[in-house]
């Protein structure tokens, strides 16, 4: 007698329902077929011979079937353990800087599924409570700028970014306790512009939580490290008028949030780069009034606001618009 396949239960709320419009029968059939295909691919993850194809196919479907896929991945027997096996299998390659593109792509497909689980409200805290983000931290500690390492870095940051998108102090507390900030700073220093952007976004979301702001401002060395690196990114990666200013936007919002702390506000008088003070950056934010206003408020607070400093003539062009 052949062994039974492990079953994957699907909540009634995510099964296909008939369409009130003509042709609904075909739509229902297609929906059932798609669901059956996803279920089978999840089961295939536990078979080492079928896993690679399942990873490729599921990573393609992760956004389209996120509501279904995340609970299936988490609640199906052995699936998360199989995915963690893939993560652990390339740790040795990280220390030797001998990571092949194929191995990197395979693990990136695993990370795409983890991002799906991290984004889903039903599985997010389960994912966090199992400490699974910590398995990604070695990828954020790497310094190699080759494509296989950069893809791992960026995709890992995407998983952490998915966690912080929803404002939840429990998520922020976990990330602070597991020291995500130094790892984000490393990515901001050595990563591609896209990795820098995602890492800066994560730092911004941490700062927006009061716990995160207190953590980063409680230690002068920690505050100096963050402020100096933010300033360095502005100076070393000048924004071009034809290029999107996504990175600059997140940097400005980080500085703005830091200015809410009195000690940090004083430190920002010395840390803010001239390009943010002299109107150069302002000219790149014409199409982003929210960030432009954020920059104006930042300069006002640093120069004449909470620290009680006297107005500076060279910043009148900014503060007069508030």
């Amino acid at each position: 007698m052949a062994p039974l396949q492990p079953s994957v239960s699907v909540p009634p709320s995510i099964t296909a329902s008939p369409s009130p419009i003509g042709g609904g029968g075909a739509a229902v059939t297609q929906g059932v077929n798609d669901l059956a295909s996803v279920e089978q691919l999840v089961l295939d993850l536990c078979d080492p011979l079928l896993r690679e194809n399942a990873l490729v196919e599921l990573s393609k479907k992760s956004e389209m079937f996120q509501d279904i896929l995340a609970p299936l991945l988490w609640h199906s027997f052995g699936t998360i353990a199989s995915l963690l096996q893939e993560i652990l299998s390339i740790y040795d390659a990280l220390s030797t800087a001998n990571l092949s593109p194929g191995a990197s792509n395979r693990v990136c497909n695993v990370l795409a599924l983890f991002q799906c689980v991290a984004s889903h409200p039903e599985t997010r805290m389960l994912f966090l409570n199992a400490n699974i983000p910590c398995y990604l931290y070695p990828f954020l500690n790497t310094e190699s700028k080759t494509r296989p390492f950069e893809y791992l870095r960026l995709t890992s940051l995407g998983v952490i970014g998915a966690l912080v998108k929803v404002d939840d102090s429990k998520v922020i507390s976990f990330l602070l306790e597991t020291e995500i900030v130094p790892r984000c700073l490393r990515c901001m220093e050595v990563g591609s512009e896209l990795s820098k952007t995602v890492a800066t976004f994560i730092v911004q979301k941490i700062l927006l939580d009061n716990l995160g702001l207190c953590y980063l401002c409680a230690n002068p060395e920690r505050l100096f490290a963050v402020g100096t690196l933010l300033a360095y990114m502005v100076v070393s990666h000048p924004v071009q008028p034809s290029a999107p200013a996504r990175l600059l936007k997140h940097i400005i919002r980080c500085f703005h949030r830091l200015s809410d702390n009195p000690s940090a506000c004083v430190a920002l008088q010395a840390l803010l780069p001239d390009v943010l003070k002299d109107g150069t950056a302002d000219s790149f934010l014409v199409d982003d009034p929210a960030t432009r206003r954020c920059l104006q408020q930042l300069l006002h607070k640093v120069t004449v606001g909470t620290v009680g400093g006297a107005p500076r003539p060279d910043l009148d062009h900014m503060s007069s618009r508030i």
Side-chain angles (χ1 to χ4, degrees):
M1 182 175 178
L4 294 175
Q5 283 270 15
S7 62
V8 181
S9 60
V10 181
S13 60
I14 61 176
T15 55
S17 57
S19 168
I21 310 174
V28 170
T29 301
Q30 183 61 45
V32 171
N33 290 339
D34 288 343
L35 179 57
S37 173
V38 170
E39 283 186 320
Q40 185 58 53
L41 288 169
V42 170
L43 293 174
D44 290 348
L45 290 172
C46 292
D47 187 334
L49 299 178
L50 302 176
R51 186 178 300 157
E52 184 170 8
N53 177 68
L55 286 172
V56 172
E57 294 302 318
L58 285 173
S59 65
K60 294 177 183 177
K61 301 173 185 290
S62 60
E63 291 188 12
M64 184 183 304
F65 294 98
Q66 179 180 342
D67 288 345
I68 301 172
L69 184 55
L72 285 179
L73 289 169
W74 188 262
H75 295 294
S76 57
F77 179 78
T79 301
I80 296 299
S82 297
L83 296 178
L84 287 175
Q85 280 183 339
E86 293 292 320
I87 296 288
L88 296 173
S89 69
I90 65 164
Y91 276 5
D92 287 343
L94 300 181
S95 59
T96 60
N98 186 26
L99 180 63
S100 69
S104 174
N105 289 337
R106 180 162 173 157
V107 173
C108 284
N109 287 332
V110 173
L111 295 174
L113 299 184
F114 277 165
Q115 182 168 342
C116 176
V117 175
S119 301
H120 196 282
E122 179 184 329
T123 54
R124 181 184 302 112
M125 291 310 300
L126 296 171
F127 181 79
L128 207 65
N129 291 337
N131 293 322
I132 291 180
C134 296
Y135 289 92
L136 280 53
Y137 287 180
F139 304 147
L140 303 180
N141 291 336
T142 60
E143 295 186 354
S144 174
K145 297 185 179 183
T146 61
R147 283 189 177 185
F149 281 91
E150 177 57 30
Y151 289 156
L152 274 182
R153 185 182 297 121
L154 178 59
T155 316
S156 299
L157 287 169
V159 178
I160 308 301
L163 287 171
V164 300
K165 276 185 178 179
V166 177
D167 297 329
D168 188 333
S169 290
K170 292 180 181 178
V171 172
I172 302 302
S173 178
F174 172 88
L175 294 176
L176 292 177
E177 289 174 2
T178 55
E179 299 188 353
I180 189 63
V181 172
R183 294 173 171 89
C184 284
L185 296 183
R186 184 184 297 271
C187 294
M188 291 157 65
E189 187 174 3
V190 305
S192 66
E193 182 170 346
L194 192 50
S195 286
K196 292 178 189 292
T197 301
V198 179
T200 308
F201 166 75
I202 294 169
V203 172
Q204 174 192 327
K205 294 295 287 185
I206 289 173
L207 279 168
L208 288 174
D209 188 279
N210 287 333
L211 186 63
L213 180 64
C214 291
Y215 170 87
L216 286 171
C217 296
N219 185 310
E221 292 182 356
R222 190 181 297 150
L223 172 61
F224 182 78
V226 173
T228 301
L229 187 52
L230 290 171
Y232 173 76
M233 286 195 295
V234 174
V235 174
S236 61
H237 295 274
V239 179
Q240 302 298 326
S242 59
R246 290 179 299 175
L247 179 56
L248 180 63
K249 167 186 172 180
H250 294 307
I251 292 172
I252 289 172
R253 291 185 179 277
C254 284
F255 276 133
H256 181 266
R257 177 56 172 160
L258 284 171
S259 70
D260 288 339
N261 179 276
S263 298
C265 194
V266 173
L268 289 180
Q269 294 181 46
L271 290 174
L272 281 182
D274 290 338
V275 69
L276 295 183
K277 301 176 183 178
D278 61 13
T280 302
D282 188 53
S283 64
F284 298 138
L285 302 172
V286 175
D287 297 327
D288 189 351
T291 303
R292 193 160 173 254
R293 183 168 57 252
C294 190
L295 175 58
Q296 295 166 7
Q297 292 171 349
L298 165 65
L299 296 178
H300 179 74
K301 289 171 69 176
V302 169
T303 57
V304 301
T306 56
V307 298
R312 284 174 46 183
D314 58 323
L315 296 180
D316 282 349
H317 71 285
M318 299 296 296
S319 59
S320 62
R321 300 176 196 162
I322 301 173

